[in-house]
């Protein structure tokens, strides 16, 4: 079979590299509740950003962060970071339902905000964030890592841009996650209100990808379901969710997310994205090629009139989002992602969660 | 990686083999509009059935059938087969919306009926078939080939029965099909009324699989969509369909079917079935392992607490449905499939088609 390296599909594009030199773009990190803050910080540094300071109320979280990014200044409080005129962007991974309030504080002092997904948990928060963006002119950007920080997902965008599967008709996404030992998860993880629920939380990745790959700017939720099938001790928790959306241009999306990754899988989740076009299709096996000899992730399968191609995408594209985000902050542009795209994915995932039919067996209902 | 042969998972089960000797179960074939009649006939013969006669109004179709099954008697008309006391079952693959009327004629003369899927195209036909079954005591069985005539799909049933993925929660199915040269398809293929539409036609495979793997006896359609995205010359045709169902026991199903298999794929469709359980999951790559060196179909991937396993299922299970069907006809039992299961899959696929939102772009609307 054809085994190709993703470089063959870059067509003059370059792997993402630093866009600024030391000190040209300075950011800080605060509220380290979700481990995604490490990926967010690393990616901004790799894109040329200069990490200035960190803060979290929990000394253990600060210490873990300093171990990963030694030499970072420890702020004494959130306000110290907000008051620092050298800092132009603040990255945060607060508890999900606190992400918006923190973002408003960041934007209100004239700084851009970069938060872990999901960026909000209620429609009121979406409204407040939209209002703050209009009022302050600052950015409320979101780390939708399952596309932005996965090279095969970046490459898929290039293949679509180059017309290799024709017009995109439908996107199907599977986002299984391993729950791990219950003690390894904070209390808020198990609760509906702080976590936002499964469709809001890990579902937001899926909706963001759908909007991106189809180019849809809005969509309607046709059906949404959640369930707690197997975690009766955590009645506020969804271990399963799925959703079907129809875009305003008539494309379709379905995604399923769950917390049922079995112990025997070599990684945390067998994430897949299937993209159907008029002239071909793409399958991504993002984090693992299950029961195959190929190690690692970033496995992309392209089928069109030219045949079936396996494309290894590791090390190929880099992560252009982060450099584009830095340039957007400096130039007040929207190369990395439009503000409305970031908000629309959040809004739809909140709406999906709110309207979802709950399939939890009666005996386990919250 | 672990590459296992499906035999290791048979656990005392035997590969399907003939259940009767020559002349013990005699059947005929009539109405050869869909090529599935060849698979249906071959499978019944392999299970021990004796093919007695064939009829179709089209001499070309009769000739093709006789070439595949030489020595078969050519009936002069449908009535000759219906009047033949030696024939206990009639197999047919009529135009879809004529399958029920033919089945009623077969059952009314006291014979069992075995039809290609979809077995009906309207709810009135479902009612008529249910009534005829009650009145005559005869069977109206259906060739849901994507499970019954695919060894990895049979093996998946055994793995679930053996508890290898725990309790089944969700089934997702993808049934892409190659349309081929338009001239290769009969006129009725392109029309809604005779074909039943995409969710009724190839969707019925998917719903049947969902009901089988979850053990659900009934389900509700949450959302259904059809579209003619790229065949404006055939305004009665659906080239895309998808559907989400919720079972009465709270399991979920999503399936997508389409006619967009690209020319470069080595086979007619990259059919997949993903089955999520509380303790593991199964993926079937039924007809091809895309862009892989493994040839043929029947690729099953099992992931649970024991790890990731590739299981080759070709040549392992055989096709027990057909022998069971013969025994059911002789013994008046329901080993192969209950009558209600066969009808429920048909009923739900007709309901899905009828309620589907049509996403066809306005300029291409029928």
């Amino acid at each position: 079979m054809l085994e190709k390296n993703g470089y063959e599909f870059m067509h003059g594009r370059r792997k993402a590299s630093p866009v600024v030199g030391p000190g040209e773009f300075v950011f800080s990190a605060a509220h380290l509740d979700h481990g995604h803050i490490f990926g967010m910080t690393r990616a901004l540094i790799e894109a040329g950003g200069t990490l200035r300071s960190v803060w979290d109320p929990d000394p253990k979280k600060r210490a873990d962060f300093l171990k990963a990014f030694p030499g970072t200044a420890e702020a004494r409080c959130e306000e110290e970071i907000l008051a620092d005129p050298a800092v132009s962007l603040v990255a945060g991974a607060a508890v999900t339902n606190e992400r918006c309030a923190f973002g408003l504080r960041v934007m209100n002092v004239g700084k851009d905000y970069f938060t872990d997904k999901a960026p909000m948990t209620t429609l009121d928060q979406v409204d407040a964030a939209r209002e703050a963006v209009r009022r302050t002119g600052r950015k409320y950007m979101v780390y939708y890592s399952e596309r932005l920080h996965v090279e095969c997902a970046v490459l898929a965008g290039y293949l679509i841009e180059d017309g290799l599967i024709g017009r995109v008709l439908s996107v199907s996404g599977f986002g299984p996650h391993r729950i791990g030992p219950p003690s390894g998860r904070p209390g808020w993880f198990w609760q509906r209100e702080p976590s936002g629920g499964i469709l809001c939380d890990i579902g937001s990745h899926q909706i963001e990808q759908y909007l991106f790959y189809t180019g849809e700017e809005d969509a309607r939720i046709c059906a949404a379901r959640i369930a707690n099938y197997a975690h009766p001790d955590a009645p506020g928790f969804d271990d399963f969710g799925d959703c079907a959306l129809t875009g305003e241009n008539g494309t379709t999306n379905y995604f399923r997310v769950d917390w049922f990754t079995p112990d025997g899988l070599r990684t945390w989740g067998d994430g897949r994205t299937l993209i159907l076009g008029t002239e071909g299709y793409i399958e991504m096996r993002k984090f693992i090629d299950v029961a195959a000899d190929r190690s690692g992730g970033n496995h992309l399968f392209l089928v069109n009139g030219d045949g079936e191609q396996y494309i290894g995408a590791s090390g190929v594209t880099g992560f252009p989002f982060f450099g584009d985000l830095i340039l957007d902050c400096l130039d007040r542009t929207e190369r990395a992602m439009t503000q409305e795209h970031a908000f629309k994915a959040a809004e739809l995932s909140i709406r999906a969660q709110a309207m979802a039919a709950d399939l939890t067996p009666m005996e386990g209902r919250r």
Side-chain angles (χ1 to χ4, degrees), chain A:
Chain A
M1 277 293 103
L2 276 170
E3 290 238 352
K4 295 202 173 175
N5 189 296
Y7 290 111
E8 296 179 44
F9 296 89
M10 288 293 275
H11 296 158
R13 298 180 185 94
R14 289 191 186 169
K15 184 174 176 177
S17 58
V19 296
V20 290
E24 292 185 68
F25 180 81
V26 176
F27 73 101
S28 292
H31 296 290
L32 316 176
D33 294 278
H34 196 294
H36 276 166
I37 193 66
F38 292 95
M40 297 162 70
T41 302
R42 199 169 297 115
L44 286 173
I45 292 172
E46 284 170 6
T50 300
L51 173 62
R52 183 171 172 92
S53 56
V54 62
W55 182 76
D56 189 275
D58 178 358
K60 167 79 167 66
K61 289 201 180 73
R62 289 202 303 273
D64 288 347
F65 190 88
L66 289 166
K67 200 178 291 173
F69 304 102
T72 311
E74 251 183 290
R76 280 156 304 177
C77 58
E78 182 188 303
E79 292 70 24
E80 186 178 327
I81 286 176
L82 297 186
D84 184 343
V87 172
S88 66
L89 177 143
V90 182
V95 172
T96 315
N97 70 337
E98 296 170 4
R99 286 172 190 168
C100 181
F102 179 47
L104 300 183
R105 296 197 295 277
V106 169
M107 292 191 289
N108 283 341
V109 297
K111 300 187 192 309
D112 292 313
Y113 180 49
F114 181 41
T115 179
D116 187 24
K117 67 74 236 171
M120 302 95 167
T121 58
T122 69
L123 293 176
D124 283 348
Q125 293 173 10
V126 179
D127 288 344
R130 281 200 168 105
E131 188 279 327
V133 165
R134 278 195 299 272
R135 181 167 44 78
T136 66
R138 296 300 98 185
K139 292 180 181 295
Y140 190 119
M141 280 288 114
V142 184
Y143 181 65
Y144 292 112
S145 54
E146 292 186 21
R147 182 176 64 85
L148 307 176
H149 218 168
V150 174
E151 287 186 294
C152 70
V154 175
L155 189 65
Y158 296 161
L159 301 183
I160 291 168
E161 195 171 82
D162 291 344
L164 292 177
I165 62 167
R167 183 161 51 96
V168 174
L169 301 175
S170 190
V171 176
S172 303
F174 293 86
H177 284 62
R178 175 174 289 141
I179 205 159
S183 60
R185 298 280 177 180
W188 62 270
F189 172 85
W190 303 99
Q191 295 160 28
R192 169 67 51 79
E193 196 179 327
S195 75
I198 195 168
L199 294 177
C200 173
D201 175 15
I202 53 180
S204 64
H205 288 294
Q206 299 289 334
I207 295 179
E208 192 280 330
Q209 289 170 81
Y210 162 60
L211 296 175
F212 178 77
Y213 290 125
T214 56
E216 293 280 9
E217 295 183 356
D218 204 352
R220 195 167 46 77
I221 296 152
C222 303
R225 299 180 283 203
I226 54 172
N228 182 336
Y229 285 120
H231 297 84
D233 294 344
F237 181 66
D238 308 320
D239 54 26
F240 178 93
D242 73 354
C243 181
L245 294 114
T246 301
E248 59 180 358
N249 295 318
T251 65
T252 62
N253 175 238
Y254 170 78
F255 70 86
R256 191 192 82 200
V257 285
D258 68 74
W259 289 97
F260 285 106
T261 292
D263 288 344
L265 193 78
R266 288 168 292 162
T267 189
W268 58 270
D270 188 359
R272 307 277 184 107
T273 310
L274 310 175
I275 308 176
L276 176 70
T278 49
E279 310 295 331
Y281 66 90
I282 288 170
E283 175 183 0
M284 288 180 249
R285 299 179 195 156
K286 290 191 169 180
F287 313 115
I288 188 168
D289 191 8
V290 64
D293 288 323
R294 294 175 187 125
S295 62
N298 292 304
H299 311 284
L300 192 152
F301 300 80
L302 169 66
V303 185
N304 58 19
D306 294 335
E308 304 165 26
Q309 302 178 64
Y310 167 81
I311 306 173
S314 285
V316 172
T317 64
F319 307 105
F321 172 83
F322 303 94
D324 286 345
L325 173 59
I326 288 174
L327 295 175
D328 284 345
C329 291
L330 295 173
D331 303 340
R332 313 316 296 170
T333 49
E334 292 199 316
R335 291 178 187 89
M337 177 181 288
T338 68
Q339 184 61 69
E340 188 47 31
H341 176 83
F343 283 162
K344 184 55 73 177
E347 178 198 323
L348 290 171
S349 52
I350 291 165
R351 288 190 193 280
Q353 182 78 37
M355 69 174 270
D358 189 344
L359 306 182
T360 304
M362 289 312 288
E363 64 270 25
R365 281 277 165 89
R366 45 193 157 270

